Amino acid sequence: MTPGYHNVSVVRPLKWGVTVGRGEHSGYTRGSRRLSPGRWPLWSLPGPVLGYLLTVETLAVLAIACTIRLPVTGTHWLWFGLLLLGSTVHLEAVSGIDRIRDLAEGSVHLLSVWLFAGVLLLPPPLLCLLIVLGYVHSWGRVYRFRALAHRKVFSIATLVLGSLAAYWVLHEVSSGTEPFAAALDGPVGLLAVIAAGIVYWMINYGLVVAAIVMTNGDRPVRASLGPATDQLMLAGAMGMGSGVAVVMIARPWWTPLLIVTVLALHTGLLMPQFRDASRSDAKTGLFDAVFWAKLVGDELDRSRRLGGTTAVLLLDLDHFKRVNDEYGHLAGDMVLRGVADALKRAVRGHDRVGRYGGEEFAIVLPGLGIEDMASAAERVRAAVSGLSVPVFDLDRVERVVSGLTASVGAAVFPVHGADRTAILVAADAALYDAKTAGRDCTRLAGETRLRFPSHYPDQVS
Ligand code: GH3
Ligand code: MG
Ligand code: MG
């Protein structure tokens, strides 16, 4: 392993708590190790983080203790059972999906459908029980109990605090008339539910973001906020939860319809993400090599049918190993991402950029012949050499990587080959030529020189 991989916090910046347990590279613990309290990764957290976690958890326990004696009726138990059924079926149905995505937080956002309905229907003791059971279920089904326990306990604490605060808001506005989903109507009711939703969200999100920021001190706060779409998903889940609560009071027998609706929406939301994820390279966001090759095949078929041309560029960064050696592999990865973005900017919207291998990129440019392709190849090469990418080096100091160069091999269908394999082989051979010609240049298949770098004047044709 290279030194660059030691700072796990940069690899997985948003997985708080994962980053600080010494030796806990993946965030998972195994077997009996985690059962022994003395060896809990929790104790290896830095003092301030540990103090923060324990404070939030103590507050949650106090909040539960203050509300545990509030009365619970038979109807409450019925609603509790229905909400638990909803969250259980929901999680069972999507646990496989979420495990694959390794984004189980997503499922927890959607569990908020049932939890927020609980805020509108249940007294605090049952609300807390619903949160704990839902979370333990998700921990078991999605993570198979392998995620760090202290993270899960902290998440439960934030949800308990958020839910009880939202409950308190509704309780105050309705002057204690329950269930809130029936008592709160009209514009005031609407505003009360929105206010409760905001309180639920702010407490939850704020407490978790603070934990991420504390454990990733070297990262900009913005990076700890997570994707905005997650927050949108949570807002949608709370809106849906309000609907669930009203339906459960007015038409309890319609509840299964809502379970099906939530499941269908969840799956519908995830499928496009899956499709994109299966096509793209995680490190750069470009098309992966397999899908890119399929796109090339499609373009060649179209060109064949219409009698047109299609150009293919293969690009290999020059001496990229030196970047890794000097700045570390994580910085190297950031540079790859920067190059990927620059390549996308350098070509037209319908040109397809893929990551062919480690630091090799591939671009298919439909409709381009030899002349146009030469300028496109040059634009692409220049985009790399003009690039400056901010990175963190091995000492976590911010540096700027510039002066990168790339060698480009180009081939045009049908001039240099009659099918995909022939075109790719021709472009690869041209790339090899560009490397042997001194790098930082573009070569066309068939030995045609397009450009040589100014520092190799003897090779300019
Ligand atoms: P040249 O192509 O000019 O001959 O030299 P090079 O140093 O780029 O050599 P080569 O293409 O043979 O090696 C590619 C190097 O790119 C090896 C490895 O250090 C680096 N590399 C490959 N994949 C990755 C990656 O995903 N991340 C990082 N950081 N580095 C990678
Ligand atoms: Mg290289
Ligand atoms: Mg290479």
Side-chain angles (χ1 to χ4, degrees), residues 145-180:
F145 294 113
R146 285 177 305 180
L148 294 174
H150 68 256
R151 285 179 50 194
K152 294 291 138 190
V153 172
F154 179 78
S155 300
I156 291 176
T158 63
L159 269 178
V160 164
L161 290 174
S163 302
L164 290 183
Y167 176 92
W168 176 78
V169 168
L170 297 173
H171 185 271
E172 290 301 301
V173 178
S174 69
S175 313
T177 315
E178 293 186 19
F180 305 134

mmCIF file of all heavy atoms in Angstrom, residues 145-180:
data_model
loop_
_atom_site.group_PDB
_atom_site.id
_atom_site.type_symbol
_atom_site.label_atom_id
_atom_site.label_comp_id
_atom_site.label_asym_id
_atom_site.label_seq_id
_atom_site.Cartn_x
_atom_site.Cartn_y
_atom_site.Cartn_z
ATOM 1 N N PHE A 145 -25.317 -5.965 10.483
ATOM 2 C CA PHE A 145 -24.720 -5.627 11.786
ATOM 3 C C PHE A 145 -23.227 -5.379 11.702
ATOM 4 O O PHE A 145 -22.526 -5.478 12.703
ATOM 5 C CB PHE A 145 -25.006 -6.720 12.829
ATOM 6 C CG PHE A 145 -26.460 -6.827 13.170
ATOM 7 C CD1 PHE A 145 -27.193 -7.955 12.818
ATOM 8 C CD2 PHE A 145 -27.108 -5.785 13.814
ATOM 9 C CE1 PHE A 145 -28.544 -8.041 13.103
ATOM 10 C CE2 PHE A 145 -28.468 -5.867 14.109
ATOM 11 C CZ PHE A 145 -29.177 -6.993 13.746
ATOM 12 N N ARG A 146 -22.718 -5.068 10.517
ATOM 13 C CA ARG A 146 -21.280 -4.865 10.409
ATOM 14 C C ARG A 146 -20.865 -3.399 10.487
ATOM 15 O O ARG A 146 -19.708 -3.099 10.674
ATOM 16 C CB ARG A 146 -20.743 -5.468 9.109
ATOM 17 C CG ARG A 146 -20.653 -6.979 9.176
ATOM 18 C CD ARG A 146 -20.186 -7.514 7.870
ATOM 19 N NE ARG A 146 -21.044 -7.033 6.800
ATOM 20 C CZ ARG A 146 -20.891 -7.338 5.529
ATOM 21 N NH1 ARG A 146 -19.905 -8.104 5.159
ATOM 22 N NH2 ARG A 146 -21.709 -6.886 4.617
ATOM 23 N N ALA A 147 -21.834 -2.501 10.289
ATOM 24 C CA ALA A 147 -21.454 -1.081 10.392
ATOM 25 C C ALA A 147 -21.128 -0.772 11.849
ATOM 26 O O ALA A 147 -21.606 -1.441 12.751
ATOM 27 C CB ALA A 147 -22.601 -0.206 9.918
ATOM 28 N N LEU A 148 -20.328 0.234 12.040
ATOM 29 C CA LEU A 148 -19.913 0.562 13.397
ATOM 30 C C LEU A 148 -21.128 0.900 14.255
ATOM 31 O O LEU A 148 -21.930 1.768 13.908
ATOM 32 C CB LEU A 148 -18.954 1.751 13.350
ATOM 33 C CG LEU A 148 -17.617 1.451 12.665
ATOM 34 C CD1 LEU A 148 -16.798 2.716 12.544
ATOM 35 C CD2 LEU A 148 -16.849 0.398 13.432
ATOM 36 N N ALA A 149 -21.234 0.205 15.394
ATOM 37 C CA ALA A 149 -22.411 0.348 16.244
ATOM 38 C C ALA A 149 -22.573 1.778 16.743
ATOM 39 O O ALA A 149 -23.684 2.287 16.828
ATOM 40 C CB ALA A 149 -22.313 -0.625 17.408
ATOM 41 N N HIS A 150 -21.446 2.441 17.052
ATOM 42 C CA HIS A 150 -21.609 3.782 17.623
ATOM 43 C C HIS A 150 -22.230 4.750 16.626
ATOM 44 O O HIS A 150 -22.914 5.693 17.013
ATOM 45 C CB HIS A 150 -20.281 4.316 18.187
ATOM 46 C CG HIS A 150 -19.235 4.610 17.173
ATOM 47 N ND1 HIS A 150 -18.154 3.802 16.949
ATOM 48 C CD2 HIS A 150 -19.104 5.641 16.303
ATOM 49 C CE1 HIS A 150 -17.400 4.331 16.010
ATOM 50 N NE2 HIS A 150 -17.951 5.440 15.594
ATOM 51 N N ARG A 151 -22.011 4.500 15.349
ATOM 52 C CA ARG A 151 -22.661 5.351 14.349
ATOM 53 C C ARG A 151 -24.162 5.144 14.364
ATOM 54 O O ARG A 151 -24.950 6.073 14.239
ATOM 55 C CB ARG A 151 -22.130 5.035 12.949
ATOM 56 C CG ARG A 151 -20.753 5.574 12.709
ATOM 57 C CD ARG A 151 -20.284 5.197 11.327
ATOM 58 N NE ARG A 151 -21.267 5.517 10.315
ATOM 59 C CZ ARG A 151 -21.254 5.064 9.072
ATOM 60 N NH1 ARG A 151 -20.283 4.273 8.695
ATOM 61 N NH2 ARG A 151 -22.162 5.415 8.212
ATOM 62 N N LYS A 152 -24.556 3.865 14.469
ATOM 63 C CA LYS A 152 -25.990 3.575 14.452
ATOM 64 C C LYS A 152 -26.666 4.127 15.701
ATOM 65 O O LYS A 152 -27.758 4.683 15.633
ATOM 66 C CB LYS A 152 -26.203 2.047 14.357
ATOM 67 C CG LYS A 152 -25.718 1.461 13.055
ATOM 68 C CD LYS A 152 -26.593 1.916 11.910
ATOM 69 C CE LYS A 152 -25.772 2.285 10.707
ATOM 70 N NZ LYS A 152 -26.505 2.945 9.651
ATOM 71 N N VAL A 153 -25.999 3.969 16.842
ATOM 72 C CA VAL A 153 -26.586 4.462 18.092
ATOM 73 C C VAL A 153 -26.723 5.981 18.020
ATOM 74 O O VAL A 153 -27.750 6.550 18.408
ATOM 75 C CB VAL A 153 -25.720 4.027 19.298
ATOM 76 C CG1 VAL A 153 -26.206 4.698 20.571
ATOM 77 C CG2 VAL A 153 -25.763 2.511 19.438
ATOM 78 N N PHE A 154 -25.721 6.626 17.482
ATOM 79 C CA PHE A 154 -25.783 8.084 17.356
ATOM 80 C C PHE A 154 -26.932 8.483 16.420
ATOM 81 O O PHE A 154 -27.680 9.422 16.694
ATOM 82 C CB PHE A 154 -24.454 8.628 16.821
ATOM 83 C CG PHE A 154 -24.443 10.119 16.649
ATOM 84 C CD1 PHE A 154 -24.286 10.958 17.736
ATOM 85 C CD2 PHE A 154 -24.601 10.690 15.392
ATOM 86 C CE1 PHE A 154 -24.284 12.340 17.590
ATOM 87 C CE2 PHE A 154 -24.606 12.069 15.230
ATOM 88 C CZ PHE A 154 -24.446 12.902 16.331
ATOM 89 N N SER A 155 -27.078 7.751 15.316
ATOM 90 C CA SER A 155 -28.165 8.063 14.379
ATOM 91 C C SER A 155 -29.518 7.913 15.060
ATOM 92 O O SER A 155 -30.423 8.722 14.856
ATOM 93 C CB SER A 155 -28.108 7.142 13.164
ATOM 94 O OG SER A 155 -26.883 7.309 12.504
ATOM 95 N N ILE A 156 -29.654 6.858 15.864
ATOM 96 C CA ILE A 156 -30.913 6.674 16.594
ATOM 97 C C ILE A 156 -31.136 7.870 17.517
ATOM 98 O O ILE A 156 -32.233 8.432 17.586
ATOM 99 C CB ILE A 156 -30.886 5.355 17.404
ATOM 100 C CG1 ILE A 156 -30.923 4.158 16.450
ATOM 101 C CG2 ILE A 156 -32.057 5.297 18.379
ATOM 102 C CD1 ILE A 156 -30.812 2.815 17.137
ATOM 103 N N ALA A 157 -30.067 8.299 18.184
ATOM 104 C CA ALA A 157 -30.202 9.434 19.119
ATOM 105 C C ALA A 157 -30.654 10.690 18.379
ATOM 106 O O ALA A 157 -31.534 11.414 18.849
ATOM 107 C CB ALA A 157 -28.880 9.672 19.832
ATOM 108 N N THR A 158 -30.076 10.949 17.206
ATOM 109 C CA THR A 158 -30.464 12.167 16.479
ATOM 110 C C THR A 158 -31.925 12.074 16.026
ATOM 111 O O THR A 158 -32.654 13.058 16.066
ATOM 112 C CB THR A 158 -29.580 12.411 15.236
ATOM 113 O OG1 THR A 158 -29.749 11.334 14.325
ATOM 114 C CG2 THR A 158 -28.131 12.550 15.605
ATOM 115 N N LEU A 159 -32.334 10.873 15.613
ATOM 116 C CA LEU A 159 -33.726 10.719 15.175
ATOM 117 C C LEU A 159 -34.690 10.881 16.343
ATOM 118 O O LEU A 159 -35.756 11.479 16.196
ATOM 119 C CB LEU A 159 -33.924 9.333 14.548
ATOM 120 C CG LEU A 159 -33.702 9.239 13.045
ATOM 121 C CD1 LEU A 159 -33.883 7.821 12.577
ATOM 122 C CD2 LEU A 159 -34.678 10.156 12.297
ATOM 123 N N VAL A 160 -34.307 10.336 17.492
ATOM 124 C CA VAL A 160 -35.158 10.472 18.673
ATOM 125 C C VAL A 160 -35.302 11.954 19.018
ATOM 126 O O VAL A 160 -36.421 12.454 19.219
ATOM 127 C CB VAL A 160 -34.564 9.670 19.864
ATOM 128 C CG1 VAL A 160 -35.195 10.109 21.179
ATOM 129 C CG2 VAL A 160 -34.777 8.174 19.645
ATOM 130 N N LEU A 161 -34.194 12.677 19.031
ATOM 131 C CA LEU A 161 -34.265 14.102 19.378
ATOM 132 C C LEU A 161 -35.080 14.882 18.340
ATOM 133 O O LEU A 161 -35.919 15.712 18.687
ATOM 134 C CB LEU A 161 -32.849 14.683 19.492
ATOM 135 C CG LEU A 161 -32.046 14.201 20.712
ATOM 136 C CD1 LEU A 161 -30.614 14.722 20.651
ATOM 137 C CD2 LEU A 161 -32.713 14.643 22.011
ATOM 138 N N GLY A 162 -34.834 14.588 17.056
ATOM 139 C CA GLY A 162 -35.564 15.281 15.988
ATOM 140 C C GLY A 162 -37.060 14.995 16.070
ATOM 141 O O GLY A 162 -37.899 15.899 15.960
ATOM 142 N N SER A 163 -37.398 13.722 16.268
ATOM 143 C CA SER A 163 -38.814 13.338 16.298
ATOM 144 C C SER A 163 -39.524 13.926 17.512
ATOM 145 O O SER A 163 -40.649 14.432 17.397
ATOM 146 C CB SER A 163 -38.956 11.809 16.357
ATOM 147 O OG SER A 163 -38.321 11.242 15.263
ATOM 148 N N LEU A 164 -38.862 13.869 18.652
ATOM 149 C CA LEU A 164 -39.519 14.389 19.849
ATOM 150 C C LEU A 164 -39.668 15.907 19.775
ATOM 151 O O LEU A 164 -40.671 16.465 20.236
ATOM 152 C CB LEU A 164 -38.753 13.973 21.110
ATOM 153 C CG LEU A 164 -38.831 12.467 21.435
ATOM 154 C CD1 LEU A 164 -38.107 12.151 22.730
ATOM 155 C CD2 LEU A 164 -40.275 11.982 21.523
ATOM 156 N N ALA A 165 -38.693 16.576 19.159
ATOM 157 C CA ALA A 165 -38.817 18.029 18.994
ATOM 158 C C ALA A 165 -39.977 18.349 18.049
ATOM 159 O O ALA A 165 -40.759 19.285 18.293
ATOM 160 C CB ALA A 165 -37.513 18.603 18.460
ATOM 161 N N ALA A 166 -40.097 17.574 16.967
ATOM 162 C CA ALA A 166 -41.202 17.794 16.025
ATOM 163 C C ALA A 166 -42.534 17.521 16.725
ATOM 164 O O ALA A 166 -43.523 18.254 16.543
ATOM 165 C CB ALA A 166 -41.037 16.872 14.815
ATOM 166 N N TYR A 167 -42.557 16.470 17.536
ATOM 167 C CA TYR A 167 -43.760 16.145 18.315
ATOM 168 C C TYR A 167 -44.132 17.327 19.207
ATOM 169 O O TYR A 167 -45.287 17.732 19.285
ATOM 170 C CB TYR A 167 -43.479 14.893 19.166
ATOM 171 C CG TYR A 167 -44.618 14.511 20.084
ATOM 172 C CD1 TYR A 167 -45.592 13.604 19.680
ATOM 173 C CD2 TYR A 167 -44.722 15.074 21.363
ATOM 174 C CE1 TYR A 167 -46.639 13.269 20.514
ATOM 175 C CE2 TYR A 167 -45.761 14.753 22.204
ATOM 176 C CZ TYR A 167 -46.715 13.848 21.779
ATOM 177 O OH TYR A 167 -47.757 13.526 22.608
ATOM 178 N N TRP A 168 -43.093 17.898 19.830
ATOM 179 C CA TRP A 168 -43.343 19.016 20.752
ATOM 180 C C TRP A 168 -43.943 20.208 19.993
ATOM 181 O O TRP A 168 -44.890 20.845 20.468
ATOM 182 C CB TRP A 168 -42.024 19.398 21.424
ATOM 183 C CG TRP A 168 -42.147 20.582 22.316
ATOM 184 C CD1 TRP A 168 -42.660 20.620 23.583
ATOM 185 C CD2 TRP A 168 -41.779 21.930 21.988
ATOM 186 N NE1 TRP A 168 -42.621 21.899 24.074
ATOM 187 C CE2 TRP A 168 -42.087 22.731 23.111
ATOM 188 C CE3 TRP A 168 -41.216 22.535 20.865
ATOM 189 C CZ2 TRP A 168 -41.854 24.096 23.138
ATOM 190 C CZ3 TRP A 168 -40.985 23.903 20.890
ATOM 191 C CH2 TRP A 168 -41.299 24.672 22.013
ATOM 192 N N VAL A 169 -43.436 20.487 18.795
ATOM 193 C CA VAL A 169 -43.982 21.590 17.986
ATOM 194 C C VAL A 169 -45.468 21.362 17.734
ATOM 195 O O VAL A 169 -46.317 22.252 17.951
ATOM 196 C CB VAL A 169 -43.228 21.693 16.628
ATOM 197 C CG1 VAL A 169 -43.955 22.632 15.667
ATOM 198 C CG2 VAL A 169 -41.794 22.155 16.847
ATOM 199 N N LEU A 170 -45.813 20.158 17.303
ATOM 200 C CA LEU A 170 -47.212 19.857 16.987
ATOM 201 C C LEU A 170 -48.074 19.903 18.248
ATOM 202 O O LEU A 170 -49.216 20.365 18.231
ATOM 203 C CB LEU A 170 -47.311 18.470 16.329
ATOM 204 C CG LEU A 170 -46.582 18.350 14.981
ATOM 205 C CD1 LEU A 170 -46.577 16.913 14.496
ATOM 206 C CD2 LEU A 170 -47.234 19.256 13.943
ATOM 207 N N HIS A 171 -47.503 19.429 19.329
ATOM 208 C CA HIS A 171 -48.211 19.422 20.616
ATOM 209 C C HIS A 171 -48.544 20.845 21.041
ATOM 210 O O HIS A 171 -49.665 21.141 21.494
ATOM 211 C CB HIS A 171 -47.313 18.732 21.653
ATOM 212 C CG HIS A 171 -47.974 18.549 22.977
ATOM 213 N ND1 HIS A 171 -47.927 19.501 23.980
ATOM 214 C CD2 HIS A 171 -48.719 17.526 23.476
ATOM 215 C CE1 HIS A 171 -48.600 19.074 25.026
ATOM 216 N NE2 HIS A 171 -49.099 17.870 24.749
ATOM 217 N N GLU A 172 -47.601 21.745 20.855
ATOM 218 C CA GLU A 172 -47.835 23.134 21.258
ATOM 219 C C GLU A 172 -48.902 23.781 20.388
ATOM 220 O O GLU A 172 -49.805 24.442 20.890
ATOM 221 C CB GLU A 172 -46.525 23.948 21.138
ATOM 222 C CG GLU A 172 -45.489 23.579 22.171
ATOM 223 C CD GLU A 172 -46.002 23.767 23.593
ATOM 224 O OE1 GLU A 172 -46.375 24.900 23.940
ATOM 225 O OE2 GLU A 172 -46.059 22.764 24.357
ATOM 226 N N VAL A 173 -48.810 23.567 19.079
ATOM 227 C CA VAL A 173 -49.765 24.237 18.175
ATOM 228 C C VAL A 173 -51.174 23.685 18.371
ATOM 229 O O VAL A 173 -52.162 24.422 18.328
ATOM 230 C CB VAL A 173 -49.319 24.073 16.694
ATOM 231 C CG1 VAL A 173 -50.330 24.717 15.758
ATOM 232 C CG2 VAL A 173 -47.950 24.681 16.486
ATOM 233 N N SER A 174 -51.286 22.381 18.617
ATOM 234 C CA SER A 174 -52.630 21.781 18.742
ATOM 235 C C SER A 174 -53.130 21.834 20.180
ATOM 236 O O SER A 174 -54.167 21.251 20.484
ATOM 237 C CB SER A 174 -52.596 20.329 18.264
ATOM 238 O OG SER A 174 -51.848 19.562 19.189
ATOM 239 N N SER A 175 -52.395 22.491 21.049
ATOM 240 C CA SER A 175 -52.708 22.558 22.482
ATOM 241 C C SER A 175 -52.919 21.160 23.070
ATOM 242 O O SER A 175 -53.824 20.932 23.871
ATOM 243 C CB SER A 175 -53.962 23.409 22.739
ATOM 244 O OG SER A 175 -53.870 24.597 22.029
ATOM 245 N N GLY A 176 -52.151 20.226 22.609
ATOM 246 C CA GLY A 176 -52.171 18.888 23.197
ATOM 247 C C GLY A 176 -53.261 17.974 22.659
ATOM 248 O O GLY A 176 -53.414 16.841 23.125
ATOM 249 N N THR A 177 -54.040 18.452 21.665
ATOM 250 C CA THR A 177 -55.093 17.587 21.118
ATOM 251 C C THR A 177 -54.475 16.572 20.161
ATOM 252 O O THR A 177 -53.826 16.948 19.187
ATOM 253 C CB THR A 177 -56.136 18.420 20.337
ATOM 254 O OG1 THR A 177 -56.446 19.572 21.105
ATOM 255 C CG2 THR A 177 -57.384 17.615 20.043
ATOM 256 N N GLU A 178 -54.688 15.288 20.443
ATOM 257 C CA GLU A 178 -54.105 14.238 19.600
ATOM 258 C C GLU A 178 -55.219 13.394 18.986
ATOM 259 O O GLU A 178 -56.328 13.341 19.539
ATOM 260 C CB GLU A 178 -53.176 13.356 20.444
ATOM 261 C CG GLU A 178 -51.945 14.109 20.921
ATOM 262 C CD GLU A 178 -50.959 13.199 21.644
ATOM 263 O OE1 GLU A 178 -51.036 11.967 21.464
ATOM 264 O OE2 GLU A 178 -50.137 13.731 22.390
ATOM 265 N N PRO A 179 -54.987 12.655 17.927
ATOM 266 C CA PRO A 179 -53.741 12.679 17.151
ATOM 267 C C PRO A 179 -53.614 13.971 16.344
ATOM 268 O O PRO A 179 -54.620 14.504 15.886
ATOM 269 C CB PRO A 179 -53.875 11.476 16.221
ATOM 270 C CG PRO A 179 -55.351 11.316 16.039
ATOM 271 C CD PRO A 179 -55.982 11.713 17.342
ATOM 272 N N PHE A 180 -52.384 14.408 16.194
ATOM 273 C CA PHE A 180 -52.155 15.683 15.491
ATOM 274 C C PHE A 180 -52.675 15.632 14.059
ATOM 275 O O PHE A 180 -53.133 16.635 13.523
ATOM 276 C CB PHE A 180 -50.661 16.023 15.467
ATOM 277 C CG PHE A 180 -50.024 16.048 16.824
ATOM 278 C CD1 PHE A 180 -48.818 15.415 17.040
ATOM 279 C CD2 PHE A 180 -50.646 16.707 17.881
ATOM 280 C CE1 PHE A 180 -48.229 15.446 18.292
ATOM 281 C CE2 PHE A 180 -50.061 16.734 19.149
ATOM 282 C CZ PHE A 180 -48.853 16.090 19.352
#
